Amino acid sequence: MTTLNLPIAAGKLAPYTLQQPKAFPLAQPPFSRIAFAAAHVVADPLADHDPWLTPAVDWERTIAFRRHLWSLGFGVAEAMDTAQRGMGLDWRDALELVRRSLDAAKDVPGAVVASGAGTDHLVPGPDVGIDQVIRAYEEQIEAIEKLGGRIILMASRALAACAKSPDDYIKVYGRILSQVKQPVVMHWLGEMFDPALAGYWGHADHMQAMDTCLDVITANAAKVDGIKISLLDKDKEITMRRKLPQAVRMYTGDDFNYAELIAGDAQGYSDALLGIFDAIAPAASAALGALTRGDEQTFHAILAPTVPLSRHIFKAPTRFYKTGVVFMAYLNGHQDHFVMVGGQQSTRSALHLAELFRLADAAGLLSDPERAAQRMRMVLAAQGIAA
């Protein structure tokens, strides 16, 4: 078995021996839960550009990863925050990503894509008001719908900055939802993922905000397929799930408690739209296959070891979770480098990445331990650490 020296606390190294990877059975969709994986983008390390200022995407490897997700039975939630939307990926490249994903999906039987539409090309400021936010939403939705895309209605930093009351949210969402061509998935992204979205729905208190959000959904239920909430609080998700109109789905965005929320209880369950599914796709697919067969015990047995890994990847500052997702893709050979759009590979420490490596190995998620170990050594060597 492969052994390498990994950083531990107090600035020391300790030997770590990898285990054998798990052989996750290939599931046969459709699953009993709708499951979207929010997918990352692969940067182009050879591009001549300024990494902090202009994105450079390796389109071939990026789309290849979507094919990987489709092969495991997942829908792809495209151009979301996992793809560094608003943290390196601008609207122009997000739209190109949507176009390429939709084109690729045409060649894959059963492939599903839902794409994020927001207002990120509109810079918040004192001169930006509600009408500009509405026009910004309309512009992105029109562009995606023109490509034949389905909409995930993303939260708006500009709206959070200019809204004076919950009524402003009700006005904006009511106007937008009245125009969409098909039901959307709404996305309530908490401030732990994006501090600029604090106070969304017009309230700092999540329970009061939930009431406003539910008012919007209830008034526009025919135009809402479901809502993804990303608050990392299972009790808040369950509370809201039980209050939704009957035909509206709850898509869990809880990367801490996804297993129990997907399994559900006597009063219902959550479908899934998760960034962690990008990193644990083979395990999540196998688990969903077991749940579909009615084998909840195996479902939990597969996912339980992935939860510590997910909680580590999404630990505060949570907005830097994308670094862990991309690092997993690198370790498992889905890309040949650990470079991210915007230079975001630098947002997590060597100590953080070493613990991620150990947790991924414990979950059986390093598909080729020798390759993963060699790549871990190279990342550490670049920081002057001899593993």
Side-chain angles (χ1 to χ4, degrees):
M1 299 299 294
T2 301
T3 299
L4 69 167
N5 293 314
L6 295 179
I8 57 173
K12 298 180 180 179
L13 302 179
Y16 181 80
T17 301
L18 283 84
Q19 66 179 23
Q20 289 290 343
K22 293 181 180 177
F24 297 107
L26 187 63
Q28 295 294 324
F31 301 130
S32 58
R33 306 288 190 266
I34 297 175
F36 283 96
H40 75 281
V41 293
V42 181
D44 180 358
L46 298 177
D48 182 10
H49 70 124
D50 297 305
W52 281 23
L53 302 178
T54 54
V57 179
D58 182 335
W59 295 113
E60 183 177 349
R61 297 303 289 269
T62 293
I63 296 303
F65 191 78
R66 276 113 183 102
R67 294 184 186 277
H68 163 68
L69 293 173
W70 288 323
S71 74
L72 293 170
F74 293 106
V76 168
E78 192 55 275
M80 301 289 289
D81 50 302
T82 304
Q84 298 180 243
R85 187 78 174 269
M87 283 188 67
L89 193 76
D90 59 19
W91 162 236
R92 183 197 65 178
D93 284 294
L95 183 60
E96 178 65 11
L97 177 59
V98 169
R99 184 188 70 77
R100 289 173 180 264
S101 289
L102 289 170
D103 284 348
K106 295 173 183 177
D107 300 327
V108 181
V112 175
V113 180
S115 304
T119 67
D120 48 316
H121 62 295
L122 177 65
V123 179
D127 297 328
V128 173
I130 297 302
D131 289 339
Q132 289 100 317
V133 171
I134 290 172
R135 286 195 292 272
Y137 266 128
E138 290 173 339
E139 179 181 337
Q140 293 201 12
I141 290 169
E142 180 182 8
I144 293 171
E145 288 184 337
K146 187 176 181 180
L147 296 173
R150 174 184 173 187
I151 300 297
I152 300 173
L153 197 60
M154 301 175 69
S156 166
R157 290 175 179 173
L159 177 55
C162 72
K164 300 295 191 294
S165 71
D167 288 342
D168 286 336
Y169 289 87
I170 291 170
K171 176 182 177 180
V172 170
Y173 277 85
R175 180 80 65 83
I176 297 304
L177 290 170
S178 71
Q179 299 177 61
V180 293
K181 292 183 178 179
Q182 57 181 321
V184 307
V185 177
M186 292 171 56
H187 186 195
W188 178 6
L189 188 67
E191 63 274 13
M192 64 290 297
F193 285 89
D194 187 346
L197 297 176
Y200 212 73
W201 303 112
H203 296 283
D205 180 86
H206 286 161
M207 301 310 293
Q208 291 179 291
M210 185 185 300
D211 288 339
T212 301
C213 183
L214 285 165
D215 287 345
V216 168
I217 293 171
T218 300
N220 301 276
K223 291 298 187 76
V224 181
D225 168 70
I227 180 167
K228 164 185 163 71
I229 66 168
S230 301
L231 301 178
L232 302 181
D233 186 317
K234 65 178 181 179
D235 294 327
K236 290 174 182 176
E237 178 173 319
I238 292 169
T239 296
M240 188 172 187
R241 186 172 75 193
R242 292 175 178 170
K243 293 181 178 181
L244 288 172
Q246 186 173 3
V248 176
R249 298 178 180 274
M250 171 61 73
Y251 289 91
T252 186
D254 190 334
D255 300 278
F256 284 5
N257 305 289
Y258 48 92
E260 58 185 292
L261 290 164
I262 293 169
D265 54 34
Q267 298 183 54
Y269 59 83
S270 297
D271 293 290
L273 198 165
L274 288 163
I276 193 57
F277 277 1
D278 180 301
I280 67 166
S285 177
L288 288 165
L291 188 63
T292 300
R293 298 191 302 272
D295 186 354
E296 189 170 331
Q297 182 176 355
T298 298
F299 168 81
H300 284 294
I302 293 173
L303 285 187
T306 73
V307 173
L309 170 65
S310 186
R311 292 182 176 183
H312 181 70
I313 288 174
F314 284 80
K315 71 182 295 186
T318 301
R319 63 187 182 277
F320 296 142
Y321 78 88
K322 297 92 170 174
T323 301
V325 169
V326 173
F327 191 55
M328 283 291 294
Y330 170 62
L331 293 176
N332 281 321
H334 295 292
Q335 54 194 78
D336 296 328
H337 57 81
F338 182 41
V339 175
M340 295 176 64
V341 169
Q344 291 285 317
Q345 68 274 9
S346 65
T347 65
R348 295 295 201 186
S349 68
L351 194 65
H352 178 93
L353 296 177
E355 180 62 9
L356 185 157
F357 184 89
R358 287 186 287 262
L359 291 169
D361 182 58
L365 284 165
L366 299 179
S367 57
D368 183 333
E370 180 58 41
R371 175 183 60 201
Q374 179 61 25
R375 292 186 168 197
M376 184 78 233
R377 289 189 185 99
M378 289 192 291
V379 168
L380 294 175
Q383 301 188 43
I385 301 169

